[in-house]
Amino acid sequence: MADIKKHDTPMCDELKSGPWPSFVDDIENYGLAKGKQACMDLLGQLELSFKNKETHWKHGGIVGVFGYGGGVIGRYSDQQEKFPAIWAFHTVRVNQPASKFYHSAALRKLCDVWDHRGSGMTNFHGSTGDMVLLGTTTEQLEPIFFDLTHQLKMDLGGSGSNLRTPSCCVGKARCEWSCIDTQELCYDLTMTYQDELHRPAFPYKFKFKFSGCPNDCVAAIARADLSVIGTWIDDIRIDQEAVKAYVGGELKPNAGAHAGRDWGAFDIQKEVIDLCPTQCMSWDGNKLSINNKECNRCMHCINVMPEALRPGTDTGATILMGAKAPILEGAQLSTVIVPFMRLEPPFDNLKELIEKVWDLWMENGKNRERLGELIQRFSLSEFIRHIEVDPIPQMIREPRANPYVFWREEEVPGGWKRDVAEFRKRHPA
């Protein structure tokens, strides 16, 4: 189109030459078809960043809309004279439906709004799970918010020092291994904590993620301040005939995921028994045995032989806390806080725990300090004492090396003062 200015972008153009689809092609073709100068300016600034080896985006903080302190991320170019169409390139997070089930009509309406109000470029999905609308100006934010909430019945996601948009795996909707209803849990907590999502009041971001089983398909254990992972406390269900079918080659391991590759005959000893992290399984040539008291629910055996093994039926969730990416400190994985919790609507037991954690964190957290960093600073023992959770063996990283153990008065049955008085009575000075 004559009114669209293309920039000289040789380095970006190299990204079109590989065997895979290129985002450069997508942005350029869309910009030309829709008359979006912002798309051309975006590629022009990207080329400049490749050349200078530095970003030319300035973070504008949280722009927000009336009544909401979160949901829109401010972005400004520091090359506004060269690329005026992206002088502001704000990013709008939109709360995704649980498990990301969409109706195509809703997506078309969302794209129509964004074609009209923004650059037309989207990201499905951000790392938290939101639908991400890339690139608009400040004066368009209120109209976008109105269109989202009134026409599409959608809401903004979380941005800033608040509760980020909760996300969950596909759960019981399509997964036979899901031990909890992740969709109902995700929706319930999203609706319960609207204020925490839209009005930033935390020391820093806080993420909920819900996985239906220990496979953890939303990577909650690596990314969420509070992870809810479905699990079971009874025995793994075993179909011994199906086990024999796997051993005999009648059933393909890993649900046939490696079809087309000749991995040789299935070896249950090598591929299942020897890879069990707790060595709780044995195979005598006719029967598979599992010492369920030693099982740590890693899911490996179930993944390899899905028609022979299934999770138990007495289900609930493990609650973990403290994961994060490397911001102030290094990356952390979650720590088990509650090994098993039954979860039934309205999930009051989980909400009570969440609110105790928030009370402690909001009172004591430093600016930009994630929950995991607070736990490190407080020590895990102090943290669980404040949130009134009993210590468990899973929390111990290594055995105690210090021989000195200090007890609080309330931890000693009867109290130490009574014991001292009794001693003095028996042994007067």
Side-chain angles (χ1 to χ4, degrees), residues 110-111 114 119-124 131-134:
L110 182 67
C111 289
W114 198 236
S119 71
M121 288 181 281
T122 63
N123 176 10
F124 277 64
M131 298 177 276
V132 180
L133 309 181
L134 295 163

Side-chain angles (χ1 to χ4, degrees), residues 47 94 102 159 168 230 299 378 382 395 402:
E47 181 77 17
V94 181
Y102 300 106
S159 298
C168 64
M299 294 289 290
F378 260 47
E382 280 297 296
M395 297 175 180
N402 187 329

Side-chain angles (χ1 to χ4, degrees), residues 13-41:
D13 291 343
E14 282 190 38
L15 297 176
K16 303 178 186 179
S17 61
W20 306 107
S22 170
F23 73 92
V24 177
D25 268 326
D26 289 343
I27 292 173
E28 190 174 277
N29 292 339
Y30 176 80
L32 292 173
K34 294 288 187 175
K36 296 284 188 180
Q37 183 61 49
C39 294
M40 301 299 114
D41 282 7

Side-chain angles (χ1 to χ4, degrees), residues 27 30 37 63 100 112 123 135 140 145 155 167 188 200 219 234 238 247 250 257 264 273 278 288 303 338 364 379 392:
I27 292 173
Y30 176 80
Q37 183 61 49
V63 185
K100 304 182 180 71
D112 287 343
N123 176 10
Q140 290 289 352
F145 180 57
D155 197 7
S167 66
D188 187 289
D234 55 343
I238 307 176
V247 174
E250 299 156 39
I273 308 299
T278 62
L288 179 69
N303 291 334
V338 180
N364 297 280
S379 81
I392 54 174

